[in-house]
């Protein structure tokens, strides 16, 4: 065989290309390494009989049994599980959020972790997803998943939801899209999604639409988030100390009074989220008290009890500029609470708080 004399630079370049191709091939072959963090909820729930699709006890099945109950996920990724909590998600506190976020951030820094799945109750899943979206600085997939029926029920949804969540977390195409929520074959942004129906498997809706779908272990993407998140966020769990500032929510309705707002402020709330009627509207019986509370330094944020794809327009129903109030834009009251608490770790200036609500 005739040996070809190659110049040193060309030989080095060819060697580099060969090594890169080999590494790429190895990476393409090596299964993704996915960590499943279990926190409880219905996906870990158990009912007395298969007919119990809505009557059951949440937070019973441990993470190793969850993983063992869906052996097919072992074909999608190399898996390991951790039991972070075992609680129903309506009982999450800000301390739970901080603890979970710290664990997710620590795992995301590890080279032997490619994606993270968090099994979670569906009641406050949307709040946890938004919080992690704001404070965990990673572009690796972090995917929250729950179920509307316990594993013991007929046509339980948890197994396929978990399979889909692992498929999404294991897929490099999921990177850089912020924290994701996988439910009922859909992939949602952790920022946008909320539980819109309390007793159906198609419970989770995003007012601006899902980002994509996951079908038979493959992801299909149709949108990407435009709001700041994860690596592009000014919030970082490593710089956040407990306790988070207390933020209260009060619901607007007919025959409204200012009692709840005053009580929340007296109880230590540093911001009040008004779950207003319509465009964040506020009863005339409530406005004077909130103006007084603002003068005492409490942030006032106008959200709306109306879901489904709108946003509260600044200075429309109330003179926000004059009152030095904030509008939650398209965030529902429970998500506004999360962002307001984080905003108050960085500022007490209402205009800066408003910037956070427009950018995140
Ligand atoms: N207790 C509710 C929770 O843990 C059950 C709802 C569910 O997980 O689907 O959020």
């Amino acid at each position: 065989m005739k040996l070809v004399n190659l110049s040193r630079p060309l030989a080095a370049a060819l060697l580099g290309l060969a090594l890169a191709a080999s590494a790429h091939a190895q990476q393409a072959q090596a299964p993704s390494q996915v960590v499943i963090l279990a926190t409880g909820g219905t996906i870990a729930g158990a009912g007395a009989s298969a007919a119990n699709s809505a009557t059951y006890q949440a937070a019973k099945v441990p993470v190793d049994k969850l993983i063992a109950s869906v052996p097919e996920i072992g074909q999608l990724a190399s898996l390991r599980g951790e039991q972070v909590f075992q609680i129903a998600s309506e009982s999450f506190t800000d301390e739970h959020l901080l603890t979970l976020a710290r664990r997710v951030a620590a795992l995301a820094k590890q080279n032997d972790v490619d994606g993270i799945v968090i099994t979670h109750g569906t009641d406050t899943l949307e709040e946890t997803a938004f919080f992690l979206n704001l404070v965990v600085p990673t572009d690796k997939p972090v995917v929250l998943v729950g179920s509307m029926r316990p594993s013991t029920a007929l046509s339980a949804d948890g197994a396929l939801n978990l399979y889909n969540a692992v498929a999404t977390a294991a897929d490099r195409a999921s990177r850089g899209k912020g924290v994701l929520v996988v439910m009922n074959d859909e992939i949602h942004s952790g920022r946008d999604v909320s539980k819109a129906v309390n007793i159906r498997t198609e419970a989770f809706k995003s007012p601006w639409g899902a980002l994509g779908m996951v079908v038979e272990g493959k992801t299909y993407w149709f949108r990407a988030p435009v709001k700041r998140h994860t690596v592009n966020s000014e919030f970082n769990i490593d710089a956040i100390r407990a306790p988070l500032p207390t933020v209260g929510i009060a619901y607007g309705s007919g025959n409204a009074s200012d009692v709840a707002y005053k009580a929340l402020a007296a109880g230590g709330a540093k911001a009040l989220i008004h779950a207003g009627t319509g465009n964040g509207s506020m009863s005339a019986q409530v406005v004077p008290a909130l103006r007084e509370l603002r003068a005492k330094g409490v942030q006032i944020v106008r959200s709306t009890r109306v879901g489904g794809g709108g946003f509260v327009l600044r200075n429309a129903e109330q003179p926000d500029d004059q009152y030095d109030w904030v509008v939650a834009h398209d965030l529902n009251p429970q998500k506004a609470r999360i962002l307001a608490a984080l905003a108050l770790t960085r500022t007490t200036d209402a205009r800066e708080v408003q910037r956070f609500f427009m950018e995140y």
Side-chain angles (χ1 to χ4, degrees), residues 92-323:
F92 257 62
T93 64
D94 287 349
E95 193 51 47
H96 287 112
L97 289 179
L98 291 168
T99 300
L100 180 61
R102 290 186 188 114
R103 187 60 188 136
V104 171
L107 284 168
K109 289 171 185 164
Q110 295 178 198
N111 292 331
D112 63 345
V113 175
D114 299 307
I116 297 166
V117 168
I118 301 167
T119 59
H120 193 294
T122 59
D123 284 6
T124 63
L125 189 149
E126 65 201 81
E127 297 174 49
T128 302
F130 187 35
F131 183 76
L132 297 174
N133 195 55
L134 291 167
V135 304
V136 177
T138 182
D139 66 354
K140 292 179 182 177
V142 176
V143 182
L144 282 87
V145 63
S147 73
M148 295 302 292
R149 297 172 180 156
S151 57
T152 48
L154 293 171
S155 302
D157 55 330
L160 183 56
N161 284 351
L162 182 59
Y163 181 86
N164 287 343
V166 171
T168 304
D171 188 340
R172 290 185 62 82
S174 304
R175 295 181 73 123
K177 295 186 170 69
V179 171
L180 302 170
V181 172
V182 168
M183 289 290 289
N184 195 43
D185 302 332
E186 294 180 333
I187 307 170
H188 290 266
S189 162
R191 175 196 184 274
D192 296 345
V193 75
S194 66
K195 185 175 182 180
V197 182
N198 75 314
I199 202 163
R200 295 172 184 264
T201 51
E202 69 275 20
F204 281 75
K205 310 287 181 192
S206 289
W208 314 117
L211 300 181
M213 288 190 73
V214 47
V215 179
E216 296 190 354
K218 294 191 182 318
T219 64
Y220 299 84
W221 300 96
F222 302 96
R223 294 191 318 109
V226 295
K227 296 290 187 180
R228 298 177 66 171
H229 59 76
T230 58
V231 294
N232 187 30
S233 173
E234 294 161 271
F235 305 106
N236 185 321
I237 188 61
D238 294 340
I240 295 171
R241 296 288 166 267
L244 285 175
T246 301
V247 177
I249 302 175
Y251 205 84
S253 69
N255 197 41
S257 86
D258 57 19
V259 170
Y261 303 86
K262 288 179 176 176
L264 287 167
K270 301 295 185 242
L272 296 175
I273 310 297
H274 170 62
T277 52
N279 186 15
S281 309
M282 190 180 291
S283 162
Q285 280 77 30
V286 172
V287 171
L290 292 197
R291 293 194 66 188
E292 284 171 27
L293 288 170
R294 180 69 199 113
K296 292 175 181 171
V298 177
Q299 295 289 343
I300 305 300
V301 181
R302 294 195 302 116
S303 178
T304 176
R305 72 184 197 180
V306 178
F311 61 88
V312 175
L313 188 64
R314 189 172 174 82
N315 292 318
E317 289 290 339
Q318 294 292 337
D320 299 297
D321 288 352
Q322 177 191 340
Y323 291 174

